[in-house]
Structures are given as C-alpha cells and as structure tokens.
C-alpha cells in the first residue's frame, strides 16, 4: 500500500480522523461510518491515541483492522511524553510487523497537575528522530496554525515547527475556523525554508459546546456567531445544513488556495463529511 507521502506526491488527499471507541455500540458506529465513506475513496485514515497510553490497545486494534480490511492506509497517532524509549520501540516494532507504514508522531501533554512528566521524551521531534532512525515508517507531525499553547511566542513556535516538519514527511493541523490562520502559518514556514506539506485539519461545528471548550484550552479563536446559528437551529436537518454549509465555505477557500488535501475530524460519524465532500464535488 502507498505511504501517505507517496499519496501526497500523487495529488490532493482526502482523509478522516477516528477516535478509538469505548463500547460495542461505538465499534458498530465506526464500522457503519467506514462503510458510509466507501464512495469517497479515502486516501487514508488516522486513529487517535490516548495520552500516556490509555486505550492504546484499542487504537492498535482499530488501525490494524482498517489497514487489513480497506484499500487505504490507516495511521496510528502515537504520543511520547510519559513513555520510555523501550516502550515506544516495542510499539513501533509491533506496528511495522502488522504492516503499518505511517505514524503521526506527537508529544502528547504533560500531567495536568503540573508535575514533571515521567519517561524519556519531552518533544515530538524526539519521537520523529526515533522513528526516522529505524527507517521503516513515514512520519506525520502536528501543527498549530494559531500557535501551540505551550509556545513562548510565535517566532519560537514557528522555528520548532519548521525544524520538526523538516525531519518529518508531512503535517496535519489542529482545527481552525479562519483560513488565514492556516495560510499565514504556511507562509511563515516557507519563509523559514520549510515546504513540507501540511494538511489542514477540518473540524465541522457539529458540537459547539465541546469545540468552544477545546478552543479555550488551546488559546484558539472560536466563531461564536456560527456557533449561535448552529445552537439556534430548529431541528437536526437545519443544524446539519448550517454545519455543512459553513464547513464547505472554509474548505472551498482552502482548496482555492491550493492545500495538499483535507483531513476531517469526523468524530466517527459520516453525515457532515459526506455532505461537505458532496457539496465540494470531490466525490
Ligand atoms: P511538540 O511538537 O513537541 O510541541 C509542543 C510544544 O513544545 C510547542 O510549544 C513547541 O513549540 C515546543 N517545542 C518543540 N520542540 C521544542 C524544543 N526543542 N525546545 C523547546 N520547545 C520546543 N494528543 C493525544 O494525546 N493523542 C492524539 O491522538 C493526538 N492527536 C493529535 C492530532 C493532531 C493533528 C494534532 C494537531 C494534535 C494532536 N494531539 C493528540 C495533541 C498533541 O499531543 C498536543 O497538542 C501536545 O500538547 C503537543 O503535541 P506536539 O506533537 O505538537 O508537540
């Protein structure tokens, strides 16, 4: 199967992120979503990883299951904070033995109580180096258009990001709602000599309450006007239309500006992504 960098070199990609379900109903929902996405001919999917390794077996099970059963690669997310080198090497060995060719290399978050993280790693770039030294997987990394909340300032954020992307094969962004946040980041990276493709992560405004909370945690802008429209919708159909229309507008602007692909945070449900892809004429 092609690696994600090979797919990106071949043309614009269309991909989605899943999270590992916790219940039998959640697993059934994910299976149904995968089947609903069949007409989209997805380029790849990615599966999140519980920070510090919680739920790690489910991530592995979902990734390997999709990679075996579907004609597109499934990429595990992997965080390094809190892990030892030996642990991560064992997980990477296991993924390679199971036929997984791509990994999203992340730092994860330090303990919320402010205590120092245990383990051998502090930054995602150290995990990138570990994977690269082994030489058997393509590597994606995270990018934050509105600057990562742990960065001291914008210039430092961009310097570390450019260095990390230069060592990796591609990036995927945190969600954002203003296309300029993404486009300015790409220009800033180019000014630092970094031209590694970075896929925009698209979060439809399906659940304003949780996105508002998450945006606040990440010091990211939140479009209250759009959220208010979604919250005021008279029924599910109107809500879906508002969410799809606003996501189409964002995606169309990004496509017009030549993004390398679109990566949807679909939250294991197909409706919005299907509606957006249909409206964009990408099916
Ligand atoms: P890093 O690249 O290490 O950056 C973190 C901070 O450290 C930044 O401020 C950066 O500027 C700074 N920094 C980097 N290198 C250095 C250096 N050498 N010296 C000083 N400072 C430095 N989390 C999960 O737990 N599970 C997931 O599945 C998951 N998936 C994600 C997917 C995407 C697409 C994105 C965007 C995020 C995801 N996250 C996930 C969240 C991520 O783990 C957190 O945001 C984390 O806080 C930062 O991860 P990072 O890989 O960007 O870290």
């Amino acid at each position: 199967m092609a690696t994600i960098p090979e797919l990106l070199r071949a043309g614009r990609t269309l991909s989605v992120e899943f999270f590992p379900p916790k219940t039998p109903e959640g697993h059934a929902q994910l299976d149904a979503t995968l089947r609903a996405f069949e007409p989209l001919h997805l380029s790849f999917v990615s599966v999140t990883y519980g920070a510090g390794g919680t739920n790690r077996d489910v991530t592995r099970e979902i990734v390997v299951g999709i990679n075996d059963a579907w004609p597109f690669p499934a990429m595990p997310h992997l965080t390094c904070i809190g892990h030892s080198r030996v642990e991560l090497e064992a997980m990477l060995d296991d993924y390679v033995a199971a036929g997984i060719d791509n990994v999203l290399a992340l730092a994860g978050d330090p303990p919320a109580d402010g205590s120092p993280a245990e383990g051998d790693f502090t930054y995602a770039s150290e995990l990138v180096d570990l994977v690269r030294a082994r030489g058997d997987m393509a590597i994606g990394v995270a990018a934050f258009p509105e600057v990562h909340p742990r960065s001291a300032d914008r210039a430092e954020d961009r310097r570390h990001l450019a260095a990390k992307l230069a060592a990796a094969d591609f990036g995927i962004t945190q969600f954002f709602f203003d296309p300029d946040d993404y486009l300015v980041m790409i220009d800033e990276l180019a000014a630092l000599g970094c031209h590694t493709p970075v896929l925009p992560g698209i979060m439809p405004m399906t659940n304003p309450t949780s996105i508002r909370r998450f945006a606040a945690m990440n010091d990211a802008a939140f479009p209250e006007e759009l959220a208010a429209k979604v919250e005021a919708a008279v029924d599910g159909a109107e809500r879906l239309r508002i969410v799809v229309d606003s996501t189409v507008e964002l995606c169309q602007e990004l496509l017009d500006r030549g993004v390398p692909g679109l990566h949807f945070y679909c939250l294991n449900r197909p409706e919005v992504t299907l509606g957006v892809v249909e409206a964009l004429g990408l099916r």
Side-chain angles (χ1 to χ4, degrees):
M1 209 173 316
T3 64
I4 294 169
E6 285 166 348
L7 293 166
L8 284 163
R9 279 195 290 277
R12 203 175 48 215
T13 58
L14 177 64
S15 53
V16 298
E17 178 189 286
F18 295 130
F19 62 84
K22 291 197 171 89
T23 61
E25 296 74 33
H27 281 270
Q29 174 61 51
L30 179 53
D31 286 344
T33 298
L34 272 161
R35 285 195 300 277
F37 281 152
E38 205 163 352
L40 301 190
H41 300 290
L42 292 173
S43 310
F44 70 92
V45 303
S46 78
V47 182
T48 60
Y49 181 80
T54 49
N55 227 12
R56 89 162 71 152
D57 294 341
V58 192
T59 298
R60 184 202 180 277
E61 178 197 321
I62 301 291
V63 165
V64 174
I66 295 175
N67 208 62
D68 286 348
W70 291 87
F72 45 75
M75 170 175 70
H77 296 201
L78 185 57
T79 62
C80 59
I81 288 181
H83 279 303
S84 71
R85 176 171 292 271
V86 171
E87 260 175 332
L88 287 176
E89 283 176 343
M91 289 171 72
L92 290 165
D93 279 347
D94 174 58
Y95 273 133
V96 170
I100 303 301
D101 296 326
N102 306 275
V103 64
L104 191 69
L106 300 150
D109 290 304
D113 63 7
S115 61
E118 289 176 9
D120 295 334
F121 298 84
T122 310
Y123 302 116
S125 54
E126 298 163 73
L127 179 55
V128 172
D129 291 344
L130 178 72
V131 182
R132 186 62 85 206
R134 302 154 48 85
D136 40 21
M137 290 174 109
I139 308 168
V141 293
F144 290 76
E146 295 174 78
V147 174
H148 190 275
R150 290 205 294 278
S151 294
D153 60 48
R154 191 174 186 94
E156 183 194 294
D157 181 278
R158 295 316 191 224
R159 268 199 313 279
H160 289 308
L161 179 57
K164 181 173 73 167
L165 281 164
D169 296 302
F170 62 97
I172 303 181
T173 74
Q174 180 60 280
F175 67 76
F176 56 91
F177 293 97
D178 181 345
D180 282 345
D181 287 327
Y182 169 89
L183 295 163
V184 168
M185 178 190 71
I186 295 297
D187 286 348
E188 289 168 343
L189 289 169
L192 292 170
C194 175
H195 301 283
T196 307
V198 182
L199 291 167
I202 306 295
M203 176 74 88
M205 185 58 77
T206 313
N207 185 339
T209 307
S210 67
I211 299 174
R212 186 185 283 111
R213 193 178 58 239
F214 203 70
M217 275 160 50
N218 282 279
D219 292 337
F222 180 79
E224 284 294 353
E225 207 176 308
L226 170 59
K229 274 194 211 157
V230 173
E231 282 161 343
V234 291
D235 57 20
E238 187 183 79
R239 192 178 174 103
L240 180 63
R241 185 182 53 72
I242 297 167
V243 173
V244 168
D245 287 354
S246 57
T247 312
V248 167
E249 200 179 317
L250 171 63
C251 292
Q252 190 62 63
E253 168 90 28
L254 293 167
L255 290 169
D256 291 346
R257 302 291 294 268
V259 288
L262 296 171
H263 186 71
F264 286 92
Y265 295 113
C266 75
L267 306 177
N268 294 8
R269 305 219 43 116
E271 299 83 2
V272 177
T273 306
L274 284 174
V276 172
V277 172
E278 174 89 23
L280 290 168
L282 300 178
R283 247 173 118 123

